[in-house]
Amino acid sequence: MIEAIHINKYFGGNHVLKNISCLFEKGRTNLIIGQSGSGKTVLMKCLVGLYEVDSGKVLYNDRNFSAMKTEQRKMIRQEIGMLFQQGALFDMMNVEENVMFPLSMFTNKSIEENKDRANLVLKRVNLENANDLMPSELSGGMRKRVAIARAIAMNPQYLFCDEPNSGLDPQTAGVIDHLIQEITLEYDITTIVNTHDMNSVLSIGDQVNFIYKGELWWQGTKDEILETTNPELNEFVFGTELTSRLKKSIS
Amino acid sequence: MYKFLHTVGDYVLLMSRVFTRPQKGKIFWTHLFNELQSLGVESLGIVAIISTFMGAVVAIQTAFNIDSPLIPLSMVGYTTAQSVILEFSPTVISLILAGKVGSRIASEIGTMRVTEQIDALEIMGVNSANYLIFPKVVACLLINPVLIVFSMWLGVLGGWIAMEASSLVTTTDYLYGIRYDFRPYTVFYALIKTVFFAYIIASVAGFYGYFTDGGALEVGQASTKAVVSSSILIILVNLILTQILLT
Ligand SMILES: Nc1ncnc2c1ncn2[C@@H]1O[C@H](COP(=O)(O)OP(=O)(O)O)[C@@H](O)[C@H]1O
Ligand SMILES: [Mg+2]
């Protein structure tokens, strides 16, 4: 469980996060949705401490992460897996080395044991026989899978995904979404996903937090979101040609 | 002025994170070894070419300017060796390396920043500053002196080839000039300078790369800034060290 309490974040004079409080529960995929530039990435980076909050605090299972020193944070960081928007694979390493990296950095196991673990998680994301490929040789969907494998290699308690299906075709995007949801249930972890894709929202949105211009504007589930009367959320959900036509034809 | 102090502050803070004990010794050694290899191999060619030609030009110009019969022709060897060892090799080659190695370090680390690879390291709990910059600084400190000594040899050799080819000065005179009043201290002095310059090159490039903000365009700008700043610093530090060490 992760809790954000009255978080504020400024970049110079730009007030990017405005007093955001929300709860992300264990065993669920918690979504943060909103338009591009609404502050999703900044919120996620504040939660994991890549950006410092200007006020407010972040709790990991009631442990006050915001008040911790670097060394204490490192302990929590090892319970965190994160999937970045472009994958953020290390370009100089092949697939296997990428997945093995956190293992060889933070465990004292033998290379063989780490290799086994890497192969296990690569198999979990349905990516076999790609161990020797370099990141530049992978397709978008494969990159995301490797990144997920690397994120779960250390058996994290918390999984963060920043727009996991950006740049993917709808089918592949769906596969990645479901993979994330399965992993969440299987390992019973706290998962937080940033997205602006309504397909993801409707398929994996156990808990949805809608951010509008840096404010937490609406909270609910994927089923409640279709009934919403909130005008800004309505605009976001039914803003595209496809969804607005569908809505008309239903009503 | 405020911005300048701010930059210096950021640099000092970054260096305090760079100079810590690597989290995993084995990974550090592998990194260092790879860096040594790529830095050394990458720069060998350009250092060889520039040093040889530089030595040749210095020798020819010196020979050309001696028109008084009172000055012995062995002065050509003496002057070439002195200028190559004291100044041309350590400073000019370091400036070349600032361009070549500095821009590569800055763009490599900058690319890692804008593609969130540095964030990925931090999330795992890796001290990314230490992990990325420390091996490069150590590699430069180790390999640059080797390159500079290599450059000194080639500079003097280049002068000799030029004198042989143009028959301006005989080999005996040239060799006599090189050995004349040769003080090992000059080589020591040059290597001290080289070590300072090597540190400037790697750490300044690491700094600009590490704090790149934006995309591909900013990576290019970061590497330009790295080259300009480290070149200026090299020239300033050169002046200061020359004052301290030679007076
Ligand atoms: N490192 C940064 N420095 C300054 N401003 C930033 C930075 N990162 C994000 N911002 C600003 O914060 C706002 C939210 O950005 P972001 O969280 O990336 O949006 P998104 O919801 O698309 O992920 C934007 O206005 C952006 O310009
Ligand atoms: Mg974003």
Side-chain angles (χ1 to χ4, degrees):
Chain A
M1 186 183 70
I2 300 172
E3 206 176 348
I5 301 171
H6 300 304
I7 288 185
N8 281 286
K9 177 69 187 170
Y10 297 82
F11 281 112
N14 186 4
H15 196 175
V16 178
L17 298 180
K18 297 168 187 155
N19 206 30
I20 290 190
S21 295
C22 57
L23 186 70
F24 305 98
E25 286 180 64
K26 191 178 170 188
R28 310 175 91 179
T29 43
N30 301 275
L31 302 193
I32 299 170
I33 66 171
Q35 289 171 345
S36 288
S38 57
K40 302 183 295 293
T41 301
V42 173
L43 176 56
M44 188 168 269
K45 289 192 173 174
C46 284
L47 292 176
V48 298
L50 285 173
Y51 292 149
E52 292 303 324
V53 295
D54 289 313
S55 67
K57 56 189 173 183
V58 179
L59 308 182
Y60 281 76
N61 285 347
D62 297 325
R63 294 171 293 180
N64 188 348
F65 184 70
S66 311
M68 286 180 185
K69 299 231 162 59
T70 318
E71 283 309 308
Q72 292 168 296
R73 280 188 180 188
K74 269 187 194 157
M75 306 299 288
I76 297 222
R77 290 264 168 88
Q78 287 174 34
E79 301 171 9
I80 294 178
M82 185 157 175
L83 173 59
F84 289 87
Q85 201 160 338
Q86 307 301 330
L89 300 179
F90 304 127
D91 328 296
M92 322 257 199
M93 305 180 193
N94 67 23
V95 167
E96 186 178 82
E97 287 162 344
N98 260 285
V99 179
M100 279 174 66
F101 180 81
L103 300 167
S104 48
M105 202 77 190
F106 295 106
T107 64
N108 287 314
K109 299 224 173 79
S110 68
I111 295 181
E112 274 63 43
E113 282 174 289
N114 287 341
K115 266 201 177 124
D116 288 345
R117 174 73 191 155
N119 282 317
L120 190 78
V121 287
L122 281 170
K123 197 171 167 197
R124 181 65 197 82
V125 298
N126 302 319
L127 199 71
E128 286 168 278
N129 309 320
N131 292 30
D132 297 329
L133 297 179
M134 297 304 283
S136 56
E137 299 171 304
L138 303 175
S139 70
M142 287 162 90
R143 292 177 69 89
K144 293 286 161 73
R145 283 172 207 260
V146 178
I148 293 176
R150 187 178 68 184
I152 62 174
M154 292 281 284
N155 250 325
Q157 294 299 305
Y158 313 96
L159 182 62
F160 292 83
C161 308
D162 193 5
E163 309 222 1
N165 47 26
S166 71
L168 301 181
D169 61 273
Q171 269 82 27
T172 313
V175 172
I176 297 290
D177 281 342
H178 283 111
L179 188 58
I180 290 170
Q181 191 173 40
E182 281 164 26
I183 286 170
T184 304
L185 295 173
E186 207 173 297
Y187 299 143
D188 193 26
I189 55 181
T190 308
T191 298
I192 301 180
V193 179
N194 274 356
T195 185
H196 57 219
D197 178 1
M198 276 313 291
N199 275 322
S200 311
V201 175
L202 295 178
S203 65
I204 63 168
D206 295 336
Q207 166 71 25
V208 182
N209 304 283
F210 174 58
I211 307 278
Y212 181 72
K213 293 188 177 164
E215 283 181 69
L216 182 60
W217 206 252
W218 183 91
Q219 286 180 297
T221 66
K222 62 185 173 189
D223 301 316
E224 290 163 353
I225 206 169
L226 292 176
E227 262 96 69
T228 177
T229 52
N230 184 309
E232 285 79 17
L233 180 57
N234 240 306
E235 171 62 27
F236 178 77
V237 175
F238 300 106
T240 66
E241 192 60 31
L242 178 67
T243 45
S244 65
R245 280 198 204 180
L246 282 176
K247 194 181 186 191
K248 263 182 219 142
S249 66
I250 293 168
S251 54
Chain B
M1 189 65 200
Y2 172 75
K3 198 167 154 249
F4 172 74
L5 287 177
H6 201 84
T7 309
V8 172
D10 283 345
Y11 173 84
V12 172
L13 282 179
L14 179 69
M15 286 307 126
S16 72
R17 290 182 56 214
V18 168
F19 289 96
T20 49
R21 203 167 152 262
Q23 281 156 298
K24 264 273 158 97
K26 217 176 99 199
I27 292 180
F28 166 74
W29 290 111
T30 322
H31 252 184
L32 178 62
F33 185 74
N34 291 341
E35 288 294 337
L36 282 175
Q37 222 170 11
S38 60
L39 287 177
V41 172
E42 164 187 69
S43 315
L44 220 52
I46 189 153
V47 169
I49 293 172
I50 290 180
S51 308
T52 315
F53 280 79
M54 213 162 54
V57 169
V58 172
I60 293 171
Q61 288 187 347
T62 315
F64 194 71
N65 280 302
I66 296 179
D67 41 17
S68 154
L70 288 176
I71 303 172
L73 281 174
S74 62
M75 277 313 283
V76 174
Y78 175 75
T79 312
T80 307
Q82 289 292 314
S83 20
V84 164
I85 293 172
L86 284 173
E87 203 52 41
F88 281 101
S89 283
T91 310
V92 175
I93 297 297
S94 289
L95 286 171
I96 301 285
L97 292 176
K100 186 149 174 54
V101 174
S103 64
R104 184 179 66 82
I105 292 178
S107 58
E108 187 182 312
I109 296 181
T111 304
M112 292 191 72
R113 166 63 75 192
V114 301
T115 56
E116 297 182 306
Q117 292 176 55
I118 293 185
D119 286 341
L121 286 169
E122 285 291 321
I123 269 302
M124 292 173 190
V126 177
N127 175 348
S128 57
N130 172 271
Y131 176 81
L132 294 173
I133 302 177
F134 191 53
K136 294 193 197 308
V137 171
V138 177
C140 274
L141 290 178
L142 292 176
I143 206 82
N144 284 20
V146 176
L147 289 171
I148 298 303
V149 170
F150 175 65
S151 158
M152 291 171 180
W153 277 106
L154 286 180
V156 173
L157 184 73
W160 175 66
I161 293 171
M163 292 305 98
E164 269 295 299
S166 61
S167 330
L168 282 169
V169 179
T170 62
T171 301
T172 328
D173 275 348
Y174 188 76
L175 287 181
Y176 176 79
I178 294 170
R179 295 204 200 97
Y180 177 77
D181 196 26
F182 176 79
R183 277 168 291 179
Y185 178 75
T186 50
V187 176
F188 174 72
Y189 154 83
L191 290 181
I192 295 273
K193 290 210 297 194
T194 303
V195 168
F196 275 87
F197 298 160
Y199 172 74
I200 290 172
I201 293 169
S203 68
V204 169
F207 169 76
Y208 280 105
Y210 196 83
F211 289 113
T212 307
D213 195 7
L217 184 67
E218 283 78 7
V219 173
Q221 288 170 348
S223 81
T224 310
K225 275 193 221 155
V227 174
V228 173
S229 306
S230 54
S231 303
I232 292 173
L233 273 173
I234 286 176
I235 290 180
L236 284 177
V237 170
N238 186 30
L239 183 66
I240 296 168
L241 285 178
T242 307
Q243 283 290 333
I244 295 174
L245 294 171
L246 287 191
T247 52

